[in-house]
Amino acid sequence: MAKQIQAIRGMKDILPQQTPLWQFLEDRVRSVLSRYGYAEIRMPIVEMTELFKRSIGEVTDIVEKEMYTFADRNGDSLTLRPEGTAGCVRAGLENGLIFNQTQRLWYQGPMFRHERPQKGRYRQFHQIGVETFGLTGPDIDLELILITARIWRELGLKDLELQLNTLGTSEERRHYRDHLVDYLRQRFDELDEDSRRRLESNPLRILDSKNPQLAAVIKDAPSLMEHLEEQSLRHFDRLRQGLDEAGVDYTINPRLVRGLDYYSRTVFEWVTDSLGAQGTVCAGGRYDGLVEQLGGRPTPAVGFAMGLERLVAMLESRDLQEQLATPDVYLVMMGDRASREGVLLAERLRNGLPWLRLIGHCGGGTFKNQLKKADRSRADFALILGEDEVARKEIGLKPLRGKGEQQQVALAQLEARLEEVIIRG
Ligand code: ATP
Ligand code: MG
């Protein structure tokens, strides 16, 4: 036998028994977003490398060491997208969606980062991202957070905490940065190699380090909040007030930073303890500087992205998977005539009961064999159609999960009977 080829490390197949959970997640999110008036945009998965260098920034983990970059046949440097915001802004500018208007957009799809694979961290992973353009006030920040809170509610996810911070404007951050660098210089010995390098180029990012060795330095660092001016503080207060009024709990985490210059004011993350180390399922914030950085006119923008693998992992801990994946009925058909009539009956049922999940047996075989397949499909009921049943215009309805005896049902009454016995979760 020829040697089998394996998938690329850190890139996973999503298998048929898992896709019902993914679809459940994606459907619920899509539904919430459309009810808030957000429109889907679909961008290419590959972009010019320059786009990510300019938007994410040269001195970041993503650009320094995580991008899948290659030369195409023309020698252009291309990159598999590591995130969606850059491409969304690029597409918005290129298609005239951003200048002088407001937009509420979302997208979904795979992202690629060459990270060390571990639970909750993959090299191909999936996000649903939301971006808004043209809105400056805290009201849109609030709307985005309310959307995320509603998504968790409608998914039935409970163990999530909202962490909130404000980064002020880039000017306010410049002042703060000087204080921070002074402080970090004093504790230079405690910094790791990455942080020492970033001390000059991107010191705020040091606060975002995941290295436990840096925890103490980070904890004692001066606070950005104390360097904010009136307007930024008011923006933050209004957002907090809105969250309080809407009954959304949050904690303020002054260590929640984005090292990138285009971020401003609001940043937030939803985190959980239930997933171990990779506990952030959704991260967002305001990035008023990015559109200009990518060649557009100054445009306020705010958005978030959620990591679908981590959300699916949270959903997996419930017994949802089985409930979503199972058919209602499996149709067993014995003999030629029943097989032909059975196909038509199945079509009739699908017409009359559009919600019905029905698998029709294919491939013939003995009664015992077909019933075994019905059982394995995890259907709640088998419908049994043999020559006798066809002749008498009836069908057997057999509960497969220990709920009573087989009954004979008149074909004319079958839709009504199925509606009675199948209680939908
Ligand atoms: P982390 O701190 O976990 O590295 P990040 O700050 O790099 O996350 P973002 O770029 O803000 O992540 O992406 C938003 C979300 O996408 C994250 O909160 C997470 O849920 C998910 N995500 C990011 N990187 C990965 C990955 N390699 N594998 C799986 N999910 C990921
Ligand atoms: Mg990361």
Side-chain angles (χ1 to χ4, degrees):
M1 267 199 300
K3 185 168 180 276
Q4 289 181 19
I5 295 167
Q6 311 281 304
I8 296 166
R9 190 165 128 79
M11 304 201 181
K12 292 207 306 182
D13 301 303
I14 300 171
L15 298 175
Q17 64 266 35
Q18 300 164 322
T19 47
L21 267 191
W22 282 78
Q23 289 167 349
F24 169 74
L25 169 62
E26 291 159 357
D27 288 350
R28 292 285 160 105
V29 176
R30 262 201 292 268
S31 153
V32 172
L33 289 170
S34 92
R35 283 180 275 146
Y36 278 81
Y38 286 65
E40 185 186 3
I41 180 167
R42 301 187 183 190
M43 297 89 67
I45 287 171
V46 190
E47 298 273 1
M48 302 297 285
T49 302
E50 185 57 24
L51 175 69
F52 302 114
K53 287 197 174 163
R54 252 219 265 170
S55 59
I56 302 168
E58 305 258 6
V59 198
T60 55
D61 281 347
I62 293 181
V63 172
E64 281 180 337
K65 49 194 182 197
E66 295 176 359
M67 292 205 303
Y68 280 89
T69 297
F70 58 96
D72 81 352
R73 288 174 189 275
N74 308 325
D76 292 329
S77 179
L78 308 184
T79 294
L80 297 183
R81 61 183 184 194
E83 52 96 49
T85 304
C88 186
V89 172
R90 198 261 321 130
L93 286 173
E94 195 168 332
N95 296 285
L97 305 179
I98 293 183
F99 179 58
N100 232 351
Q101 56 202 302
T102 62
Q103 285 289 350
R104 290 173 162 90
L105 302 175
W106 70 273
Y107 51 81
Q108 103 181 84
M111 307 293 161
F112 303 85
R113 297 184 194 176
H114 198 277
E115 306 197 64
R116 190 168 71 77
Q118 53 198 290
K119 186 167 173 281
R121 195 174 287 289
Y122 309 100
R123 290 182 174 174
Q124 172 172 330
F125 61 99
H126 299 78
Q127 289 183 339
I128 293 181
V130 175
E131 320 286 355
T132 70
F133 299 101
L135 296 160
T136 43
D139 47 359
I140 185 68
D141 304 16
L142 175 64
E143 176 175 296
L144 288 175
I145 294 177
L146 293 178
I147 286 175
T148 53
R150 180 176 299 278
I151 288 171
W152 316 144
R153 267 203 311 283
E154 297 196 6
L155 290 170
L157 294 177
K158 295 216 174 67
D159 309 322
L160 283 164
E161 181 191 82
L162 174 61
Q163 300 193 347
L164 196 63
N165 193 20
T166 177
L167 300 179
T169 61
S170 52
E171 195 168 311
E172 288 158 346
R173 274 203 309 282
R174 260 196 304 279
H175 290 143
Y176 168 68
R177 187 189 144 120
D178 296 341
H179 287 266
L180 181 65
V181 171
D182 282 347
Y183 163 81
L184 291 170
R185 281 228 182 80
Q186 285 161 27
R187 305 201 34 180
F188 191 79
D189 292 345
E190 293 166 71
L191 301 183
D192 61 7
E193 198 188 318
D194 268 351
S195 316
R196 287 180 183 179
R197 208 158 32 83
R198 284 184 183 161
L199 194 52
E200 302 303 329
S201 55
N202 199 348
L204 256 76
R205 192 79 200 184
I206 298 173
L207 300 179
D208 196 20
S209 166
K210 304 240 160 31
N211 185 351
Q213 184 200 320
L214 265 65
V217 186
I218 292 173
K219 189 169 155 289
D220 301 337
S223 149
L224 172 60
M225 200 81 78
E226 282 151 28
H227 295 260
L228 298 186
E229 291 173 25
E230 175 76 32
Q231 252 202 319
S232 286
L233 287 172
R234 207 165 47 224
H235 187 104
F236 195 48
D237 285 345
R238 282 270 309 282
L239 172 60
R240 292 178 55 178
Q241 191 187 4
L243 290 169
D244 291 338
E245 284 165 3
V248 177
D249 294 334
Y250 56 86
T251 57
I252 300 212
N253 177 358
R255 304 298 158 218
L256 192 64
V257 292
R258 298 262 188 277
L260 315 186
D261 252 10
Y262 63 69
Y263 273 104
S264 47
R265 301 201 166 137
T266 312
V267 286
F268 66 92
E269 283 189 1
W270 285 94
V271 297
T272 179
D273 296 334
S274 68
L275 295 177
Q278 275 27 274
T280 303
V281 299
C282 176
R286 177 167 279 284
Y287 52 96
D288 290 345
L290 180 61
V291 174
E292 194 179 8
Q293 204 167 304
L294 290 178
R297 312 210 189 183
T299 306
V302 48
F304 64 80
M306 50 187 129
L308 302 192
E309 278 76 6
R310 296 182 192 177
L311 289 168
V312 167
M314 287 188 81
L315 292 171
E316 259 165 10
S317 59
R318 311 214 316 256
D319 58 0
L320 211 56
Q321 192 148 353
E322 191 164 313
Q323 199 181 314
L324 292 167
T326 53
D328 300 308
V329 297
Y330 189 103
L331 175 58
V332 169
M333 294 164 276
M334 298 302 306
D336 260 3
R337 185 155 164 230
S339 297
R340 291 207 322 270
E341 301 260 336
V343 170
L344 301 181
L345 175 66
E347 287 302 296
R348 189 188 99 187
L349 294 174
R350 293 182 180 114
N351 289 339
L353 306 172
W355 46 264
L356 184 71
R357 287 178 294 202
L358 180 152
I359 297 181
H361 180 80
C362 286
T366 63
F367 178 69
K368 198 170 150 214
N369 196 284
Q370 290 196 32
L371 210 58
K372 202 189 269 173
K373 289 225 165 91
D375 212 39
R376 276 209 202 117
S377 78
R378 316 187 74 105
D380 291 319
F381 295 92
L383 281 173
I384 298 163
L385 193 65
E387 303 291 327
D388 287 354
E389 278 84 3
V390 172
R392 288 200 300 264
K393 294 194 180 348
E394 57 179 43
I395 194 164
L397 176 65
K398 181 179 168 60
L400 295 175
R401 314 266 190 128
K403 290 173 248 164
E405 294 297 302
Q406 177 172 333
Q407 315 157 12
Q408 296 302 111
V409 180
L411 284 179
Q413 256 94 65
L414 187 54
E415 281 87 345
R417 190 78 191 105
L418 288 174
E419 239 164 356
E420 270 167 37
V421 295
I422 297 169
I423 300 147
R424 321 218 75 239

